[in-house]
Amino acid sequence: MKYASVFRAALDQVHAEGRYRVFADLKRHRGEFPRATWTREDGTSSEVVVWCSNDYLGQGQNPVVLDAMHRVIEDTGAGSGGTRNISGTTHDHVELERELADLHGKESALLFTSGYVSNQASLSTLYKILPGLIVFSDALNHNSMISGIRAGGRDQRQVFSHNDLGHLEELLAAVDPEAPKLIAFESVYSMDGDIADIAGTVALAKKYGALTYLDEVHAVGMYGPRGAGVAERDGVMDQIDIVEGTLGKAFGVMGGYIAADAAIVDAIRSFADGFIFTTSIPPALAAGAVASIRYLKDHNEVRIAHQARAAALKARLLKAGLPVMPSASHIVPVLVGDAAHCKLISDILLNEHGIYVQPVNYPTVPRGMERLRFTPSPAHSDAMMDGLAAALKELWTRCSIAQVGSVAA
Ligand code: PLP
């Protein structure tokens, strides 16, 4: 077999569809978020404003977080040295799990190396612990949840239409009432920016005897009076059985976790391959996360500023006649509807305007729903927003993309 030609053919197909992914070489500058230096392939560079970071609140630059990380590197060194079983449980890991349990009002929490791994490992392991488990999964759940459900459940999964509680109830009512059940869903869906009806989902879970598993990856740090997420904001945090989150987005560092009753966490700790067989995160990361979570628990004004900035950007882009998709959250998606156009607009924004926003193409979103996804932070100024709106307006005209006014909220 000519392996090289097979690889090349796979790449050719992605190129032909206009969705070949090119990574931008960015160097950030401490304290200057969201500005960065972009280095081109020819070695030349220029300054850009980053508009698509999931470091939603700029916590990756917060001196409180950086100081905590520096201190732990100085005190204890770099890596953790092993899996949690084999010398990889340091004081900083223990402290972080306590902090996370407290954040979510749960008995216990468990750290993973990323949000992806926490979903993959936890969901696949729940099938091991609960024989015959049926997972009811929202159609737009993240790939990490789907991967965990597929790995664990094979045929024992039911997909309900996105945020459609009527469909979820139909599916719940149709299965064996005695079977163990779990509803897996997200609070903020990160590509559309819409938000689940958590209270409604919990009510159905109670009615049909199901557990709930809520991914708050795009909400932790940003919603609720202490930043525990949308379930906290909606007053239903205590009714979620397992909450999952990341330390890599609004908390500004890296890692993932679940929080739940002690018995659930202990069982997943004891059976999850993705937890047991991998080196734990470096202690400095854990310390940075603790500092970030504590800071955001006490600084609700950051969340208020964040929401205000997102509203300001939505208003500006709508005023400019751009097809802003309806979004109930801090995420500002602008529909393009074509992979090649989306890439072209993103390239021109970067090359001519110093604006960095990645095109979001299939398979992250369905074909025909390609978009630019803006994530304004408290540090994005009015002047930056004005510059973005003007550049987009000019490009929409230049690229002659139909202005899909009806999509706008
Ligand atoms: N869950 C959702 C909904 C996500 O969007 C992501 C990543 O974007 C993850 C989980 C994975 O989190 P992490 O980036 O920490 O691996």
Side-chain angles (χ1 to χ4, degrees):
M1 184 175 204
K2 292 209 182 328
Y3 290 108
S5 61
V6 178
F7 286 109
R8 219 162 280 130
L11 287 171
D12 286 347
Q13 187 185 336
V14 183
H15 275 294
E17 291 176 18
R19 57 184 185 89
Y20 178 74
R21 293 176 187 220
V22 180
F23 298 153
D25 173 345
L26 298 172
K27 181 170 180 176
R28 291 173 303 170
H29 308 288
R30 182 175 173 168
E32 289 181 29
F33 182 82
R35 297 185 189 280
T37 302
W38 168 51
T39 302
R40 299 176 189 80
E41 276 191 8
D42 65 7
T44 61
S45 61
S46 54
E47 298 306 298
V48 299
V49 175
V50 177
W51 277 100
C52 54
S53 174
N54 283 340
D55 182 357
Y56 292 117
L57 304 174
Q59 283 290 97
Q61 300 291 322
N62 187 331
V64 170
V65 176
L66 302 191
D67 288 350
M69 296 181 76
H70 282 300
R71 215 170 30 247
V72 169
I73 287 182
E74 290 304 323
D75 287 353
T76 76
S80 76
T83 67
R84 289 293 294 278
N85 256 339
I86 306 173
S87 88
T89 298
T90 71
H91 180 67
D92 297 292
H93 294 89
V94 174
E95 208 176 16
L96 175 52
E97 284 174 342
R98 284 200 192 118
E99 193 64 43
L100 288 165
D102 174 79
L103 175 68
H104 292 288
K106 301 290 181 203
E107 289 175 353
S108 208
L110 189 68
L111 266 176
F112 295 83
T113 48
S114 72
Y116 193 101
V117 173
S118 59
N119 272 334
Q120 219 278 344
S122 300
L123 285 164
S124 59
T125 302
L126 286 166
Y127 281 101
K128 282 195 221 169
I129 299 168
L130 294 163
L133 176 69
I134 304 168
V135 173
F136 297 80
S137 174
D138 186 285
L140 291 192
N141 274 345
H142 187 256
N143 179 281
S144 53
M145 297 171 88
I146 297 168
S147 169
I149 293 166
R150 284 205 178 125
R154 293 173 195 89
D155 299 330
Q156 286 163 278
R157 62 175 195 272
Q158 305 255 346
V159 178
F160 60 96
S161 306
H162 175 54
N163 275 349
D164 182 343
L165 294 190
H167 189 215
L168 172 60
E169 179 155 22
E170 252 176 58
L171 296 178
L172 283 164
V175 301
D176 174 3
E178 299 306 316
K181 298 178 261 308
L182 178 129
I183 302 170
F185 64 124
E186 300 179 21
S187 54
V188 175
Y189 284 83
S190 73
M191 291 301 143
D192 291 341
D194 57 341
I195 295 184
D197 176 353
I198 301 178
T201 309
V202 163
L204 282 182
K206 288 213 165 84
K207 183 170 172 190
Y208 291 92
L211 291 169
T212 44
Y213 182 104
L214 178 63
D215 175 320
E216 291 252 35
V217 158
H218 293 277
V220 286
M222 292 172 282
Y223 293 84
R226 295 201 313 159
V230 180
E232 185 192 28
R233 182 196 74 176
D234 292 357
V236 289
M237 193 163 73
D238 59 334
Q239 298 181 49
I240 295 295
D241 295 296
I242 304 171
V243 59
E244 184 272 343
T246 184
L247 305 169
K249 300 191 195 291
F251 292 128
V253 278
M254 190 187 175
Y257 64 90
I258 55 162
D261 284 355
I264 295 179
V265 169
D266 208 18
I268 292 176
R269 183 183 75 88
S270 304
F271 289 97
D273 294 343
F275 171 80
I276 297 169
F277 296 104
T278 189
T279 300
S280 60
I281 61 171
L285 272 185
V290 169
S292 187
I293 295 164
R294 284 186 185 154
Y295 182 90
L296 289 177
K297 275 180 181 170
D298 291 342
H299 288 80
N300 200 37
E301 75 279 3
V302 177
R303 282 180 280 282
I304 292 169
H306 183 219
Q307 292 297 323
R309 290 281 78 197
L313 183 64
K314 284 177 195 170
R316 270 177 177 74
L317 299 187
L318 284 170
K319 192 163 168 232
L322 293 155
V324 179
M325 297 170 73
S327 158
S329 69
H330 57 282
I331 291 160
V332 185
V334 173
L335 186 68
V336 178
D338 174 86
H341 266 136
C342 205
K343 172 88 175 69
L344 178 68
I345 293 174
S346 158
D347 286 347
I348 297 174
L349 284 172
L350 185 60
N351 283 302
E352 298 181 17
H353 299 274
I355 289 169
Y356 172 57
V357 60
Q358 263 308 103
V360 182
N361 288 343
Y362 177 83
T364 309
V365 294
R367 287 192 172 90
M369 294 300 286
E370 291 84 358
R371 67 198 66 172
L372 301 172
R373 173 184 177 272
F374 298 96
T375 54
S377 75
H380 286 83
S381 66
D382 281 346
M384 288 174 185
M385 290 191 182
D386 289 340
L388 174 67
L392 283 174
K393 195 171 175 182
E394 187 224 308
L395 273 179
W396 241 250
T397 316
R398 202 197 313 172
C399 296
S400 62
I401 293 171
Q403 296 210 4
V404 194
S406 59
V407 178

